[in-house]
Amino acid sequence: MDYIQILSAAGIGGTIGSLLTTLVQAWITNKQHLNNRFFQAKKEAYIGLADALRLAAVEGSDKAAKNFAYWQLRCDLVAPREVRKAIQELIDTNENMEARDIAFEKLIEVLQKDLGIEN
């Protein structure tokens, strides 16, 4: 005999189905919450990095450089390898404006891709 038929005949099948539905819904909700939290952490780190980059370009001070390093570290915590590499390439091209422009464009591209907003 089929176990599902026995459980259904005993009136338990509906209860088990409801319990499974509830568990699956709870799991999906939790997964969505974690994904949203991770997205928010990345977005905050990327916005902070962009602001720190702007401040470093405007001020050029030691304080601005340390602020950029802080946001780079925040990005290191949440960003995939491709983003971390693009940030490092931007840093490495500090003295070469042509290469820096290319690195900046690449950084924007990988950030958009990581956030799922690529064009």
Side-chain angles (χ1 to χ4, degrees):
M1 223 190 220
D2 188 3
Y3 292 112
I4 301 296
Q5 290 175 342
I6 294 172
L7 292 174
S8 294
I12 300 174
T15 304
I16 291 176
S18 295
L19 180 61
L20 285 175
T21 300
T22 302
L23 289 174
V24 168
Q25 286 175 337
W27 179 79
I28 290 171
T29 300
N30 186 48
K31 185 163 176 58
Q32 287 174 336
H33 173 73
L34 290 175
N35 286 342
N36 185 47
R37 195 170 80 186
F38 191 57
F39 176 83
Q40 292 301 326
K42 284 199 280 188
K43 185 175 84 170
E44 180 182 323
Y46 296 167
I47 290 171
L49 182 76
D51 190 51
L53 181 59
R54 178 195 59 79
L55 193 62
V58 170
E59 288 185 9
S61 67
D62 186 52
K63 181 180 178 182
K66 288 178 181 177
N67 185 48
F68 181 84
Y70 167 77
W71 285 105
Q72 180 187 8
L73 176 62
R74 292 275 305 261
C75 289
D76 286 347
L77 295 174
V78 296
R81 175 183 296 233
E82 188 177 18
V83 170
R84 294 190 315 265
K85 184 179 173 190
I87 294 169
Q88 189 59 51
E89 286 175 8
L90 185 69
I91 294 167
D92 293 343
T93 60
N94 197 33
E95 301 300 321
N96 181 341
M97 289 309 287
E98 186 176 319
R100 187 168 181 83
D101 288 343
I102 293 168
F104 184 74
E105 289 298 321
K106 180 171 182 180
L107 177 61
I108 290 172
E109 181 182 310
V110 296
L111 290 176
Q112 288 175 332
K113 180 180 175 187
D114 189 41
L115 292 174
I117 55 174
E118 59 187 318
N119 295 329

